[in-house]
Amino acid sequence: MSINEDTAVRYDKVGRLIGWRRYKEAAAEAEALLRDEPEDAHAYALLALVHVHTENYDAALHWTGEALRRDPDNALAWLVRTNAYHDGGKLDKALESAAEGMRVDPYEPHYYFIRANITMKRGRYAEAKALIETALEMSPNNAAYMASLSYAEALLGNHAASRQHAREALKLNVESDSTFLILAWSAEQRGDYEENLNMLKEAIRIDPNDKQIRDAYMDGLQKSYKMYRVLLAPFKLFKRMKPWQILVTWLAIAIIFRPLIFVFIIVYALTHWLTKLLVHVKVFGWNFRR
């Protein structure tokens, strides 16, 4: 579909408002565009993009559906739809959407990034690393992709490579809360707890209202206490194990170390809540209404 110059300017305005985080204005501008051009698939996709940024994933999926009903090959609609499924936790749907999106636009690196994220969540770290490297081949100056490569290397235990990629990500034009959040995860995986907190502080500076980042910061403060990290070590080990291995390990522990299990549970619970209290007091003082 060919577009006139005025429509292109209006597309650009919605995109800039989203970039400035002025989401209400961006939605209003997209809706005004749709009133003038009710069959404009790209305008529906832009409205869906606003809803992804405000974490209203059901609305985003609805509007991408409207876009694709009018133009089944609209590249932005497929990309937004994939992000909506991914960020909304519907990972299998995200993979299906990514496959369709890649059919429409096979050179869009973000599909490889999304697939890498899902693959990492499913414990296939080497496969995830390969996908991220493909994304970086297409977009070598993307800080988020470089941060994700750092995280993949950390998950694989390649800490030197992880730190190198983290430095490379920071050399790029980083002013993204999500990039700093990924770098924080990478630092935590390596055991660099001070850097983990520094990256989370940068993420909060950019977006102080993001609940995921605030929760990660509170969790990072809690893990700054060494005793708490020691008690978390077994759980960190379990993340690398398959379900049947975890079951066998717990059964063995229950048979051989039964009395110690209860001691561990009590000590862990006390340490968890004590460090949680210390973190709350450190951040909010003695105000427990927050």
Side-chain angles (χ1 to χ4, degrees):
M1 183 189 75
S2 61
I3 59 171
N4 59 45
E5 186 176 346
D6 177 65
T7 301
V9 169
R10 295 176 77 177
Y11 288 167
D12 184 61
K13 183 176 181 181
V14 176
R16 283 186 284 112
L17 288 168
I18 292 171
W20 296 332
R21 301 176 188 269
R22 291 159 57 178
Y23 301 126
K24 287 184 179 180
E25 294 173 63
E29 189 67 29
E31 288 165 358
L33 179 56
L34 282 170
R35 284 193 293 272
D36 295 336
E37 301 286 346
E39 295 304 309
D40 186 341
H42 196 75
Y44 283 103
L46 284 170
L47 182 56
L49 181 59
V50 177
H51 286 294
V52 164
H53 280 281
T54 57
E55 300 181 2
N56 191 348
Y57 303 123
D58 288 340
L61 291 170
H62 169 75
W63 293 119
T64 56
E66 290 296 312
L68 293 169
R69 187 163 65 84
R70 290 164 173 82
D71 177 10
D73 290 336
N74 185 276
L76 179 62
W78 280 115
L79 187 60
V80 174
R81 193 171 184 82
T82 301
N83 274 295
Y85 278 131
H86 174 264
D87 295 352
K90 298 177 180 178
L91 303 186
D92 288 332
K93 288 284 190 181
L95 289 173
E96 291 174 12
S97 181
E100 281 299 307
M102 292 174 78
R103 176 187 61 79
V104 173
D105 186 1
Y107 300 108
E108 171 52 61
H110 204 68
Y111 289 122
Y112 292 92
F113 177 69
I114 290 290
R115 288 172 58 199
N117 286 343
I118 295 171
T119 305
M120 271 194 279
K121 288 175 183 177
R122 294 177 172 176
R124 304 200 303 270
Y125 305 137
E127 184 181 339
K129 176 186 171 183
L131 287 165
I132 296 166
E133 287 174 335
T134 300
L136 278 166
E137 286 174 9
M138 297 178 175
S139 183
N141 294 320
N142 189 299
Y145 299 170
M146 189 63 72
S148 288
L149 183 57
S150 171
Y151 186 39
E153 293 284 21
L155 289 167
L156 288 165
N158 303 328
H159 290 182
S162 175
R163 291 188 180 96
Q164 176 59 34
H165 293 313
R167 287 191 292 270
E168 291 170 2
L170 290 170
K171 287 178 183 177
L172 298 169
N173 185 20
V174 177
E175 193 58 21
S176 160
D177 53 318
S178 59
T179 298
F180 281 117
L181 181 59
I182 297 168
L183 287 172
W185 294 339
S186 179
E188 181 188 351
Q189 185 65 34
R190 296 191 306 266
D192 296 340
Y193 294 102
E194 184 177 351
E195 183 177 347
N196 169 256
L197 288 175
N198 288 336
M199 294 299 102
L200 289 170
K201 286 176 184 176
E202 290 296 321
I204 289 172
R205 174 183 60 78
I206 296 169
D207 189 356
N209 298 316
D210 188 296
K211 185 178 184 300
Q212 182 185 17
I213 296 171
R214 295 200 311 271
D215 289 347
Y217 180 64
M218 297 294 281
D219 185 57
L221 285 172
Q222 194 171 3
K223 288 175 181 173
S224 67
Y225 294 97
K226 188 173 182 179
M227 180 60 182
Y228 184 60
R229 296 202 304 269
V230 169
L231 291 170
L232 284 177
F235 299 102
K236 194 171 182 179
L237 178 63
F238 288 149
K239 285 184 179 180
R240 295 179 172 273
M241 298 170 65
K242 296 178 179 178
W244 69 267
Q245 293 173 320
I246 296 172
L247 178 61
V248 170
T249 301
W250 272 114
L251 287 173
I253 292 171
I255 294 169
I256 301 170
F257 303 108
R258 182 177 298 176
L260 293 178
I261 291 177
F262 297 105
V263 174
F264 174 81
I265 292 172
I266 292 169
V267 172
Y268 171 79
L270 288 173
T271 305
H272 172 80
W273 289 108
L274 177 60
T275 53
K276 201 173 185 69
L277 172 65
L278 291 171
V279 166
H280 186 97
V281 172
K282 186 175 183 178
V283 175
F284 302 116
W286 293 96
N287 179 7
F288 291 97
R289 294 182 179 180
R290 297 190 67 123

